């Protein structure tokens, strides 16, 4: 009965679910960034256009401790949590849709069986 659900869950095993996350700038155009070094986690603001146009993807430095990482490492704790919630919602949607398809398939089979039984009983 849960063929589609099992297939969907199997396809998720070890795969990446991509969820686009956008960080909206504040009223002045700044976005929050956080140092990824566990001993620092300094939060700072940078203008969104500067982050997009000037900051090199391969090297960003913390203005407080000097930690160097690539540009994809500078998410704030809140941004990461928001991304995790979005990813869980996406997976939940995939599972719910698979369950709906399985339920619809089950209901069609049940309706077909009921129709076949009625036909046999009226023929007899």
């Amino acid at each position: 009965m849960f063929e589609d659900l099992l297939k969907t869950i199997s396809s998720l095993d070890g795969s990446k679910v991509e969820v686009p996350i956008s960080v909206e700038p504040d009223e002045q155009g700044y976005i929050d960034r956080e140092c990824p070094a566990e001993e620092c986690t300094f939060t700072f603001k940078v203008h969104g256009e500067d982050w997009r146009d000037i900051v090199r993807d391969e090297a960003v430095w913390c203005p407080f401790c000097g930690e160097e990482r690539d540009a994809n490492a500078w998410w704030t704790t809140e941004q990461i949590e928001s991304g995790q919630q979005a990813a869980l919602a996406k997976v939940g949607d995939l599972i719910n849709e698979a369950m709906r398809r399985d339920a619809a398939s089950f209901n069609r089979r049940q309706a077909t069986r009921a129709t076949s039984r009625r036909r046999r009983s009226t023929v007899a």
Side-chain angles (χ1 to χ4, degrees):
M1 175 175 160
F2 297 108
E3 295 87 14
D4 205 17
L5 176 61
L6 293 171
K7 191 184 327 176
T8 298
I9 291 171
S10 248
S11 73
L12 291 172
D13 185 29
S15 68
K16 291 182 180 180
V17 175
E18 292 192 22
V19 180
I21 305 292
S22 64
V23 177
E24 296 300 319
D26 65 16
E27 310 81 48
Q28 290 85 31
Y30 289 91
I31 56 175
D32 292 331
R33 292 297 183 213
E34 183 177 291
C35 178
E38 285 183 30
E39 62 278 354
C40 180
T41 66
F42 179 71
T43 302
F44 59 97
K45 291 187 176 286
V46 63
H47 201 275
E49 290 176 6
D50 290 344
W51 187 264
R52 185 189 65 229
D53 299 337
I54 297 172
V55 173
R56 294 185 356 233
D57 288 343
E58 60 277 352
V60 177
W61 292 269
C62 175
F64 186 74
C65 75
E67 179 76 17
E68 179 185 343
R69 303 268 182 99
D70 72 41
N72 289 323
W74 297 86
W75 302 101
T76 66
T77 302
E78 293 80 19
Q79 291 163 347
I80 291 170
E81 288 170 358
S82 176
Q84 289 171 335
Q85 289 172 357
L88 285 173
K90 173 77 173 185
V91 169
D93 290 346
L94 293 171
I95 290 172
N96 286 336
E97 187 55 38
M99 290 178 72
R100 275 191 211 96
R101 288 190 301 268
D102 280 337
S105 175
F106 176 79
N107 290 339
R108 280 192 302 276
R109 285 193 309 268
Q110 293 299 90
T112 302
R113 287 181 187 156
T115 303
S116 296
R117 284 188 203 127
R118 271 188 256 132
R119 283 187 190 149
R120 278 186 265 149
S121 66
T122 57
V123 173

